[in-house]
Amino acid sequence: MKSTNTTKPMTILVDMDGVIADYSKAHLEKVAGRLPHLVPYIEDARLSWRSEERFPEEHRDAVEALALEPGFFENLEPIEGGLEAVRALMDAGHDVRICTAPKKIHTYCVPEKYNWIKKHLGQEYVERIIMTRDKTLTQGDLLIDDKPEITGAGTPQWEHIVFDRPYNKHVPQRRIDWTNYREVLGL
Ligand SMILES: [Mg+2]
């Protein structure tokens, strides 16, 4: 798509889970299928950035374990509009990086995140992955992320653009989804 704006090229960090890959949908479907006694808590879980957080404490390990199984990350569905937006931002001259935090128990998560990017965006984007558990130490102009508060050892140089989700409505930063990001960001 030809852009008529004059925005100067930016480095845009794009989070994966909850922004371009639908972690919580897959996770909560697994809970429903494998831990059916926890179905009554699923609606509440949609209101937490960490989906396991709104399950009773004694069940949280079992809930989180479902996301550590082989194939979980590789099979996440893309969030509608996300892959197109990433490509469109690159086509418009921005330097887009996929900025994602691995699970602490990383055995499957790390390679599968790379495989997911290769499958859905291609090798060019595999080389654009920044995998870190501390995003405050990465550089960029914008970080598009669904996490409500992003903290770490550094003072962020980027502006946190909140990717609109039910669990982050309380944070005051600029927020986008993949239908309105051009208008909100002035791109
Ligand atoms: Mg996320």
Side-chain angles (χ1 to χ4, degrees):
M1 190 186 301
K2 191 165 165 43
S3 172
T4 55
N5 71 70
T6 55
T7 310
K8 76 173 177 36
M10 292 186 286
T11 298
I12 303 177
L13 309 168
V14 179
D15 174 34
M16 254 177 110
D17 299 323
V19 174
I20 59 172
D22 205 340
Y23 177 99
S24 67
K25 177 170 186 268
H27 194 201
L28 297 175
E29 280 175 4
K30 272 208 173 213
V31 172
R34 301 264 301 280
L35 302 170
H37 54 294
L38 298 181
V39 166
Y41 302 101
I42 285 179
E43 268 318 299
D44 271 359
R46 292 186 211 283
L47 299 174
S48 282
W49 174 73
R50 278 182 207 287
S51 37
E52 59 271 9
E53 211 168 74
R54 297 234 177 166
F55 291 93
E57 205 167 340
E58 65 271 26
H59 298 298
R60 282 181 204 160
D61 287 350
V63 169
E64 190 177 11
L66 297 176
L68 302 174
E69 294 181 345
F72 179 80
F73 280 93
E74 198 154 345
N75 291 311
L76 296 182
E77 288 176 19
I79 288 181
E80 194 175 347
L83 302 173
E84 295 79 359
V86 165
R87 291 193 193 97
L89 289 166
M90 284 281 287
D91 288 346
H94 300 292
D95 180 3
V96 179
R97 305 287 168 153
I98 309 298
C99 189
T100 183
K103 290 273 195 193
K104 285 182 189 166
I105 299 173
H106 57 272
T107 312
Y108 303 111
C109 166
V110 170
E112 290 190 13
K113 278 177 175 281
Y114 278 82
N115 292 345
W116 194 94
I117 291 294
K118 177 146 188 171
K119 176 174 158 191
H120 292 284
L121 286 164
Q123 181 63 28
E124 178 192 355
Y125 289 86
V126 170
E127 293 166 31
R128 293 184 164 277
I129 294 172
I130 299 169
M131 200 173 286
T132 175
R133 288 182 57 84
D134 189 343
K135 296 184 183 181
T136 69
L137 296 172
T138 61
Q139 294 189 31
D141 297 295
L142 306 176
L143 169 63
I144 299 170
D145 203 302
D146 62 311
K147 188 175 182 180
E149 282 95 21
I150 300 172
T151 56
T155 302
Q157 305 299 303
W158 33 255
E159 177 188 353
H160 177 197
I161 304 294
V162 176
F163 190 78
D164 191 34
R165 299 259 108 182
Y167 44 79
N168 60 30
K169 300 284 185 195
H170 60 290
V171 294
Q173 288 95 327
R174 290 200 286 172
R175 66 179 52 243
I176 61 163
D177 58 35
W178 294 130
T179 67
N180 67 9
Y181 71 98
R182 288 176 188 279
E183 299 86 81
V184 176
L185 300 177
L187 299 174

